Amino acid sequence: MKKLLNQLFEGNKLSRDDIKGLSRELFDPSTSESEIASVLTALRVRGETPEEITGIVEVLREKAMPIEKNIPHITDNCGTGGDGSHSFNISTTSAFVLAGAGARVAKHGNRSVSSKTGSADVLEELGVALDFSGNEVEELLETNGIAFLFAPHVHHQLKPIMKVRNALGVPTIFNLIGPLTNPVTLETQFLGVYQRDMLMKMATVLHKLGRKRAIVVNGAGYMDEASLAGENHLVLLEDGELIPFTLKPEDVDLPTYSNEQIVGGDAKENARILESVLNGEPSAYLDTVLLNAGLGLFASGLADNAKDGIDKARQSIESGAAKEKLNYLVRYSQTRKQAMSS
């Protein structure tokens, strides 16, 4: 570790093999908190390369809860968080719309970090379990087209790292890589980032991780979601090519709203908002989900473009298909809980 750490402090870039070796040492119980802090600080000061991000993600996925079955055509739409917008649970709500439109979604998420309520908080409020086993995740993906993977449950090895992260109190590489560490093998992905200058870098990482197709977005107001407040900046990964583009509300026939109009609340309030969207109640929340779900369908290859994706997302909601995906997940969780308590 000392040799590689010295290379980092000297400003040198590590190869994927070197960063993977260093990462395995990071997660070794014998590694001290000061050593962990030194690695995270050195990477942060110099700036993480796509190779280094990819290597760390690969090691995290190696050590995650195993998902044995190779289920095709899986996507995820988890964002990095960190934008400080305190928005409602856009990607979580959108995930059910994606599933209702025919996508197969392994929704990876956590409790609140930068928002008022994280995906796990709102889903728990709705009655969804947070501790599905690998077999249960596989079953849900095959029967319901959507499963939830609670990050701390599937990444036990991260506890010491999280302790150091909290003590440092500054952003580290782990603020970026959460959405990349889904233990399910993803074919496509819609990824939101709060740093606009990371768009190409994160798209490059997705390519290195084997995504066949993906979109990375930084929204108007620097949100880690697509926003209806103005111009969104995106990169499309298609056939190994990275294609930057921009998108405004008027480009897809949606109204403009300020980001203040999509602020959320506590878990109970955000659960109400989520259900109102899946019930098709007109609002800034609904239109924001249509935009993000539409882009998610475009990213997954189920729509020809963003506008086509929005039309398919609207049909997912209006038909009741999106709401039924949530209802199924809640029923499954309740039946499971009853079986475990009997």
Side-chain angles (χ1 to χ4, degrees):
M1 176 179 280
K2 287 183 179 178
K3 178 183 175 183
L4 293 176
L5 188 54
N6 283 333
Q7 287 190 43
L8 288 176
F9 278 120
E10 289 168 4
N12 297 322
K13 298 174 182 177
L14 300 186
S15 69
R16 195 186 305 191
D17 286 341
D18 280 344
I19 196 69
K20 287 173 79 168
L22 182 60
S23 299
R24 291 188 183 103
E25 289 195 60
L26 271 186
F27 302 127
D28 190 301
S30 64
T31 301
S32 70
E33 291 184 2
S34 62
E35 288 174 317
I36 294 171
S38 296
V39 171
L40 297 185
T41 302
L43 284 168
R44 173 65 180 176
V45 169
R46 199 215 56 212
E48 305 88 348
T49 68
E51 284 290 318
E52 290 164 347
I53 296 171
T54 303
I56 291 178
V57 168
E58 287 173 333
V59 171
L60 278 166
R61 294 189 71 247
E62 285 174 7
K63 295 178 174 294
M65 179 181 77
I67 306 293
E68 306 288 351
K69 195 174 287 188
N70 186 18
I71 303 170
H73 311 306
I74 306 290
T75 194
D76 189 10
N77 67 333
C78 179
T80 61
D83 62 12
S85 68
H86 304 299
S87 59
F88 77 105
N89 300 98
I90 298 169
S91 64
T92 306
T93 311
S94 299
F96 293 107
V97 181
L98 288 169
R104 194 173 276 163
V105 187
K107 183 71 180 79
H108 191 238
N110 208 334
R111 294 197 183 277
S112 173
V113 178
S114 59
S115 60
K116 293 183 178 180
T117 306
S119 56
D121 301 305
V122 73
L123 290 176
E124 188 177 49
E125 175 68 25
L126 290 163
V128 175
L130 303 184
D131 59 348
F132 293 126
S133 68
N135 288 338
E136 288 171 327
V137 168
E138 292 167 358
E139 180 185 346
L140 284 164
L141 287 172
E142 290 183 321
T143 59
N144 191 41
I146 183 169
F148 181 66
L149 296 99
F150 181 41
H153 177 65
V154 300
H155 297 293
H156 300 292
Q157 77 281 4
L158 278 179
K159 287 183 181 178
I161 305 290
M162 296 306 102
K163 183 179 178 182
V164 172
R165 274 186 62 193
N166 292 335
L168 285 173
V170 296
T172 71
I173 190 170
F174 286 91
N175 291 76
L176 289 173
I177 64 175
L180 306 175
T181 60
N182 195 320
V184 178
T185 299
L186 304 177
E187 187 171 301
T188 62
Q189 191 161 0
F190 179 51
L191 170 65
V193 297
Y194 69 97
Q195 292 174 269
R196 191 160 294 170
D197 60 0
M198 292 295 292
L199 282 169
M200 293 297 289
K201 184 180 287 190
M202 295 298 272
T204 300
V205 172
L206 290 175
H207 178 52
K208 290 179 180 294
L209 289 171
R211 305 292 188 267
K212 293 182 179 179
R213 184 179 171 88
I215 291 176
V216 185
V217 62
N218 175 258
Y222 295 90
M223 288 187 67
D224 73 325
E225 313 273 3
S227 164
L228 290 169
E231 188 173 69
N232 298 276
H233 292 250
L234 310 95
V235 176
L236 169 67
L237 164 63
E238 185 174 37
D239 298 325
E241 187 179 358
L242 303 182
I243 307 164
F245 67 104
T246 59
L247 187 73
K248 300 188 289 292
E250 55 266 33
D251 296 333
V252 287
D253 299 329
L254 286 173
T256 298
Y257 299 97
S258 71
N259 287 337
E260 287 71 28
Q261 289 174 273
I262 55 169
V263 169
D266 60 15
K268 191 176 294 295
E269 172 63 12
N270 280 14
R272 186 199 66 75
I273 294 171
L274 185 153
E275 290 186 305
S276 78
V277 170
L278 298 188
N279 287 332
E281 298 175 19
S283 66
Y285 305 119
L286 172 63
D287 288 337
T288 299
V289 166
L290 288 174
L291 175 62
N292 281 273
L295 285 165
L297 290 169
F298 181 35
S300 67
L302 293 175
D304 295 333
N305 49 52
K307 183 65 169 62
D308 181 43
I310 289 167
D311 292 341
K312 286 179 166 65
R314 195 184 303 277
Q315 177 59 25
S316 172
I317 293 172
E318 291 179 352
S319 68
K323 183 69 177 293
E324 178 51 30
K325 296 298 180 181
L326 169 62
N327 291 341
Y328 186 107
L329 198 54
V330 172
R331 289 195 303 269
Y332 186 96
S333 299
Q334 291 171 343
T335 301
R336 174 181 181 270
K337 183 177 180 181
Q338 290 166 2
M340 292 173 69
S341 62
S342 61

